[in-house]
Amino acid sequence: MKWTFENGIPIYMQILRRLRTEIASGAYPPGAKLPPVRELALEAGVNPNTMQRAFAELERDGLVYTQRTSGRFVTKDTEVLKNLRKTLSDDVIEEMCGRLIRLGMSRQEIRSAVEAWASANGTEADE
């Protein structure tokens, strides 16, 4: 996967966001072994210490755990993963709604727009 970074946001935070998203989406499913820090750092083009910092935070959050001599693995705790998806989705919704409100849309207009989008894209908003 291609790694690109935005200016103005610490790289480890961007790595953390990407790994959280990949874990939440199932790209790294529960119990999956994560690539070694050095391998991911090389792939991303960052210092291994930067990648290690992101991994340490994932571990503090309970999203990954280390098995001595075996590596790091994604948690199998479904509640932790459910909370991660909720947090990430809340962030996306807050950003989207904030942008739409700044465009001058009302709550009802936003709700209608989301329902129209879901309907047009084969996804019912109330499912």
Side-chain angles (χ1 to χ4, degrees):
M1 287 179 249
K2 176 89 169 119
W3 290 75
T4 56
F5 298 105
E6 301 171 35
N7 291 328
I9 301 171
I11 290 175
Y12 95 95
M13 294 290 294
Q14 294 179 63
I15 292 168
L16 195 54
R17 181 180 353 153
R18 178 174 173 158
L19 292 173
R20 283 179 175 149
T21 300
E22 289 177 351
I23 290 168
S25 72
Y28 292 121
K33 184 176 181 181
L34 295 169
V37 167
R38 289 192 184 281
E39 182 181 316
L40 270 181
L42 184 62
E43 180 184 312
V46 300
N47 186 299
N49 292 333
T50 303
M51 189 63 70
Q52 176 60 37
R53 184 175 180 190
F55 271 64
E57 190 150 335
L58 290 173
E59 199 156 349
R60 271 194 303 277
D61 292 345
L63 294 171
V64 303
Y65 62 93
T66 301
Q67 282 188 342
R68 197 175 185 110
T69 71
S70 297
R72 285 191 175 89
F73 297 82
V74 175
T75 184
K76 295 177 186 175
D77 186 331
T78 56
E79 196 62 32
V80 169
L81 296 171
K82 179 181 172 185
N83 289 338
L84 173 63
R85 283 189 291 279
K86 171 83 169 90
T87 298
L88 293 175
S89 66
D90 285 349
D91 291 347
V92 169
I93 291 167
E94 182 178 348
E95 180 183 346
M96 179 191 72
C97 289
R99 289 172 132 188
L100 295 175
I101 287 167
R102 286 190 296 280
L103 287 174
M105 292 179 74
S106 69
R107 285 181 170 197
Q108 183 55 47
E109 288 171 318
I110 293 169
R111 191 175 299 115
S112 295
V114 169
E115 288 172 357
W117 181 91
S119 178
N121 289 282
T123 306
E124 291 302 318
D126 59 351
E127 288 182 18

